[in-house]
Amino acid sequence: MNKTVYLKFSFVFLLGLFIYSCYNEYYDLPPTNLEKENLIPKPLSILATNSSFILDENTSIITPDEEVFISAGNFLSKKIKDKTQLEIEVNLEESKNKGRKIIINKVDKNTAVDDESYELTISKNSIIINTQTAEGAFRAIQTIRQLIPYKSDSPKNNLWAIPTGTIIDKPNFEYRGSMLDVARHFFDVEDVKKYIDIMAYYKMNVLHLHLTDDQGWRIEIKSWPELTKIGGSTEVGGGKGGFYTQEQYKEIVAYAAQNYITIIPEIDMPGHTHAASTSYPILNGKEAATLLSSDSQSDKKAALYTGMKVGFSTFDTNKEEVYGFVDDVIRELSALTPGKYIHIGGDESKVTKQDDYACFLGRVEKIVAKYGKTMIGWDEVAKANLSTNTIVQFWYDKENAKLASSKKMKLILSPAKRIYLDIKYDSLSKYGNRWIGYTPVDSSYNWSPEKYIDGISKDQILGVEAPLWSETVSEISELEYLAFPRLIGVAELGWSVEENRNWENYKERLVNQTPYLNKMKINYFPSKRVDWKKIKAK
Ligand code: ACM
């Protein structure tokens, strides 16, 4: 054998050995069961085919040639990198495209099919997402993220096995939200972005920001600058407060949009308005507020409220200036908010006369409509004479929810007893409120939006939203302690059909979220109602 032949022979031999060892890697993989994966929320249907798709450095992603789909592909590539260190190319040239593929496939629009629905077919050689929108692709991508194991199946060769089968999926409710109260304590843009990341991972699609309350005004309104200068200068407990400039708010809106989450801003009125009325005393409708007639900045600051009581403030609903103010605020906010909803609060206006309250809300509803938006209000707004377009957010009084439903208004369900994330888990909870008792993790999950209020059927329910009031929390880690793991259960209540929701099964899947929660450095509450040692996730 001359030297060249010898070298060629050795090369072919080594190549063969290499291919054999790779093949062996696959060959050794145990059978899989896609139906038993720890997906949250549980998809509509899963059919397992018991084999594996191997994700490795040769895998690439192919998307339709449209910016929104390419962005979805890039998002998946980035998340795969974060989890596995693999560099997965998106839309590689055909000639370089040698490995297995993850294909996003745009199918024809069928109006009967939801924009968020998708079909995911995982076989040994490919992963195919069939969807009609980039939003559907984005939801499917969350499923893929959850299916990639945390540990490589072969650290030597950097291989990651994804179980094969077919998932057909779509949301049970179109509205799956959470609310952050950034008024009682202010949370900055980075905190909100982190919350958005986690919501997106669990397929939630609405973040409601409670931007104003007695203790603080948190959004820059250029035509009324004192709102943030005075009203944004403190918070519960007397801390330094804060506010979003319009640029920062736009940054949150844009970040949420990249994650297919809609921001709904809330300006709470006519009650919960002490910070606004202190900034501009002309707005104030509370008779006893003598200090508030002062124009001095230091007097105004001194008059701000840093306690935790509710129900003591109101706008003067009989003054035209108040409607001019509301018009300016809604105009500026609508221009910054691409989503169709503006939340106007309307809760606990205990010192507003009932007739004044109804008249005020009727006028506010018209202002919101004038700027092309649909109004949402807390359940008390059902008592005013509003149009059927306005959405009622049930939080406490079932009679208000029934009244809204009798008026053919749609409902968002946020029962305080079940999904107010600020309620303490139990008597040992470090943070939280307890005006409605305790809400352990199981009781937060174990209820049915479809059956919660007698006489209100599923078609009247837009969806569910879990609010997190921030009187007792001032740091993101404290907020996380209250939100997690309960928010994850709410994501399933919103997405998964009733037949697919079951506490015993859910809690097993929940335990297996810990690698993700730990990687995201989420300070979740390790509830004793869940056996955290039963973790199987690799
Ligand atoms: C509310 O909890 N006051 C809506």
Side-chain angles (χ1 to χ4, degrees):
M1 222 187 283
N2 71 30
K3 205 168 158 202
T4 328
V5 174
Y6 176 77
L7 279 175
K8 269 191 192 155
F9 182 79
S10 309
F11 177 74
V12 170
F13 178 76
L14 286 172
L15 189 70
L17 197 66
F18 175 72
I19 291 170
Y20 174 78
S21 68
C22 289
Y23 175 76
N24 221 19
E25 283 289 345
Y26 308 166
Y27 193 73
D28 284 348
L29 290 173
T32 62
N33 188 349
L34 188 61
E35 286 158 33
K36 294 259 164 65
E37 286 294 308
N38 297 300
L39 294 168
I40 298 181
K42 187 91 173 165
L44 187 61
S45 79
I46 308 178
L47 184 73
T49 52
N50 312 111
S51 183
S52 296
F53 171 95
I54 308 290
L55 182 69
D56 66 12
E57 60 185 2
N58 295 316
T59 308
S60 69
I61 298 171
I62 299 181
T63 77
D65 190 19
E66 274 179 53
E67 205 179 312
V68 281
F69 283 100
I70 298 168
S71 300
N74 287 334
F75 177 93
L76 177 58
S77 169
K78 180 174 181 310
K79 296 300 174 186
I80 292 176
K81 170 100 199 292
D82 290 350
K83 194 162 179 176
T84 65
Q85 301 304 313
L86 291 170
E87 304 264 4
I88 302 292
E89 300 277 353
V90 180
N91 295 332
L92 256 187
E93 263 172 57
E94 195 62 39
S95 61
K96 298 195 186 131
N97 203 339
K98 298 275 184 276
R100 282 170 295 275
K101 297 176 186 62
I102 302 175
I103 302 166
I104 303 178
N105 189 26
K106 184 180 174 186
V107 298
D108 284 346
K109 195 110 181 141
N110 170 356
T111 45
V113 177
D114 200 285
D115 269 356
E116 296 186 275
S117 68
Y118 66 90
E119 194 180 291
L120 181 65
T121 308
I122 307 169
S123 59
K124 275 189 189 172
N125 296 321
S126 64
I127 295 183
I128 300 175
I129 300 170
N130 279 323
T131 173
Q132 47 185 35
T133 65
E135 185 173 9
F138 189 81
R139 304 297 173 221
I141 283 168
Q142 308 317 314
T143 306
I144 296 174
R145 288 176 68 193
Q146 293 192 15
L147 291 172
I148 301 172
Y150 269 84
K151 279 220 280 315
S152 167
D153 291 83
S154 164
K156 186 162 52 96
N157 294 321
N158 216 4
L159 304 178
W160 310 73
I162 300 180
T164 57
T166 299
I167 292 177
I168 296 175
D169 206 5
K170 64 174 190 173
N172 193 30
F173 290 108
E174 70 173 74
Y175 185 115
R176 307 174 306 278
S178 185
M179 184 207 82
L180 289 182
D181 169 11
V182 295
R184 269 49 176 275
H185 282 102
F186 182 64
F187 291 88
D188 66 22
V189 174
E190 291 313 309
D191 291 342
V192 177
K193 284 185 178 174
K194 183 176 178 191
Y195 202 72
I196 287 172
D197 287 340
I198 306 159
M199 287 179 69
Y201 188 74
Y202 294 108
K203 301 192 177 79
M204 300 191 89
N205 65 351
V206 177
L207 177 60
H208 163 187
L209 293 176
H210 181 76
L211 292 167
T212 70
D213 212 302
D214 289 316
Q215 298 87 345
W217 185 285
R218 310 293 180 207
I219 177 72
E220 177 189 22
I221 301 293
K222 292 195 193 283
S223 52
W224 296 75
E226 301 274 295
L227 289 170
T228 44
K229 201 154 152 216
I230 301 290
S233 66
T234 193
E235 58 190 2
V236 166
K240 70 177 171 28
F243 65 91
Y244 306 123
T245 62
Q246 293 201 351
E247 286 310 308
Q248 287 173 322
Y249 177 78
K250 280 198 259 182
E251 189 183 331
I252 293 174
V253 167
Y255 190 79
Q258 285 161 17
N259 285 278
Y260 290 88
I261 288 177
T262 301
I263 296 292
I264 299 183
E266 178 185 349
I267 304 295
D268 202 350
M269 49 194 171
H272 289 274
T273 43
H274 183 86
S277 293
T278 309
S279 310
Y280 289 101
I282 189 152
L283 303 172
N284 190 26
K286 204 177 127 200
E287 286 144 30
T290 46
L291 230 191
L292 299 187
S293 61
S294 165
D295 269 344
S296 126
Q297 298 253 331
S298 58
D299 280 357
K300 282 181 179 174
K301 285 207 171 165
L304 288 168
Y305 181 66
T306 59
M308 288 176 27
K309 293 206 180 85
V310 297
F312 60 88
S313 57
T314 183
F315 281 157
D316 187 340
T317 60
N318 294 308
K319 272 206 203 103
E320 274 315 300
E321 288 90 336
V322 169
Y323 297 96
F325 166 84
V326 172
D327 194 299
D328 286 339
V329 171
I330 302 296
R331 173 173 47 74
E332 289 196 32
L333 204 52
S334 298
L336 301 169
T337 306
K340 64 178 172 185
Y341 298 116
I342 299 280
H343 201 303
I344 57 76
D347 57 321
E348 298 174 312
S349 288
K350 295 183 182 168
V351 294
T352 321
K353 292 196 190 83
Q354 193 59 44
D355 286 352
D356 291 349
Y357 175 81
C359 172
F360 176 81
L361 286 181
R363 291 191 61 177
V364 171
E365 186 185 54
K366 290 199 173 61
I367 295 170
V368 172
K370 178 170 132 191
Y371 292 108
K373 302 293 183 190
T374 299
M375 182 164 112
I376 305 180
W378 295 107
D379 67 43
E380 292 93 323
V381 305
K383 292 190 221 146
N385 198 15
L386 301 172
S387 90
T388 54
N389 290 338
T390 288
I391 313 287
V392 172
Q393 184 168 8
F394 163 71
W395 64 282
Y396 181 67
D397 191 338
K398 286 189 177 173
E399 293 311 312
N400 286 339
K402 288 180 192 165
L403 184 60
S405 140
S406 73
K407 294 180 176 180
K408 307 260 174 297
M409 301 166 94
K410 289 240 177 185
L411 288 149
I412 296 163
L413 300 196
S414 301
K417 223 175 153 33
R418 302 289 185 159
I419 55 172
Y420 261 29
L421 300 175
D422 54 295
I423 299 300
K424 288 180 178 229
Y425 294 93
D426 55 34
S427 60
L428 300 175
S429 280
K430 283 193 249 174
Y431 315 102
N433 298 311
R434 59 154 301 184
W435 60 271
I436 202 156
Y438 299 116
T439 308
V441 176
D442 51 345
S443 86
S444 181
Y445 176 86
N446 240 335
W447 62 286
S448 174
E450 292 89 340
K451 301 200 180 104
Y452 195 67
I453 306 171
D454 286 345
I456 297 189
S457 57
K458 186 171 171 233
D459 59 339
Q460 291 174 284
I461 302 169
L462 204 56
V464 290
E465 179 185 299
L468 202 164
W469 301 98
S470 66
E471 291 94 334
T472 68
V473 291
S474 58
E475 299 290 332
I476 180 82
S477 63
E478 297 166 1
L479 185 153
E480 287 168 3
Y481 173 91
L482 290 173
F484 302 102
R486 288 182 291 199
L487 184 69
I488 301 172
V490 178
E492 178 146 308
L493 285 168
W495 181 278
S496 307
V497 291
E498 201 173 1
E499 306 84 88
N500 281 343
R501 300 192 308 254
N502 168 299
W503 166 251
E504 292 303 322
N505 175 272
Y506 168 76
K507 76 176 179 188
E508 305 277 317
R509 285 177 288 126
L510 177 60
V511 166
N512 286 287
Q513 302 307 304
T514 45
Y516 173 71
L517 298 175
N518 292 338
K519 185 165 173 21
M520 291 292 288
K521 300 194 168 50
I522 297 166
N523 181 33
Y524 66 93
F525 169 66
S527 163
K528 293 217 168 52
R529 309 216 172 191
V530 175
D531 184 356
W532 300 97
K533 291 204 199 71
K534 272 181 109 172
I535 179 156
K536 291 190 299 246
K538 291 187 284 172

